[in-house]
Amino acid sequence: MIAAGGGLRAALAGLVAGALVVLHPAAVEPGTWILSRTTALQMAFTALALWSYVRSLDGGARWPHLVLLALALCSKEGAVTAPFSMLLLDFVHRRDVTFSARLRAALPALGLLGGYFALRLALLGLLGK
């Protein structure tokens, strides 16, 4: 509890000083590195997941892109578009495949995305922002 008089005045001065420090443009850098780090991780894991997915279409291992996609989703929610990018990459990479075959190839990633949304709904009570 703040004492009346000098204690209240000191607390108010501290609050104003703290607000000035936080709102000053020079204070942006110490806080934004945290957001920038998660974005870099998401982009790195997403790029590796897409590369691994294309390799799996050529007969490579089928699971690495799922692990990388899960890591991207754990980094930042912007990775929710990656399964759809995988489907688009399949259209570019394999021209002679039916849509159902493309969908079967992307189904594990879409299932992982569904699991991500279910977990998000269970933990946060909402699907989006």
Side-chain angles (χ1 to χ4, degrees), residues 2-18:
I2 299 174
L8 181 60
R9 188 174 300 165
L12 185 60
L15 181 66
V16 170

Side-chain angles (χ1 to χ4, degrees), residues 74-120:
C74 288
S75 299
K76 199 168 179 183
E77 65 186 9
V80 297
T81 60
F84 304 105
S85 297
M86 289 174 180
L87 201 54
L88 289 173
L89 276 173
D90 195 354
F91 275 104
V92 172
H93 189 68
R94 301 186 303 171
R95 298 190 185 271
D96 58 342
V97 178
T98 64
F99 182 75
S100 61
R102 294 179 205 282
L103 198 55
R104 277 194 306 275
L107 203 57
L110 292 170
L112 182 64
L113 182 61
Y116 167 78
F117 280 128
L119 182 64
R120 182 179 171 90

Side-chain angles (χ1 to χ4, degrees), residues 2 17 21 43 53-54 63 88 117 121:
I2 299 174
V21 167
M43 293 307 297
Y53 180 72
V54 171
W63 59 269
L88 289 173
F117 280 128
L121 183 63

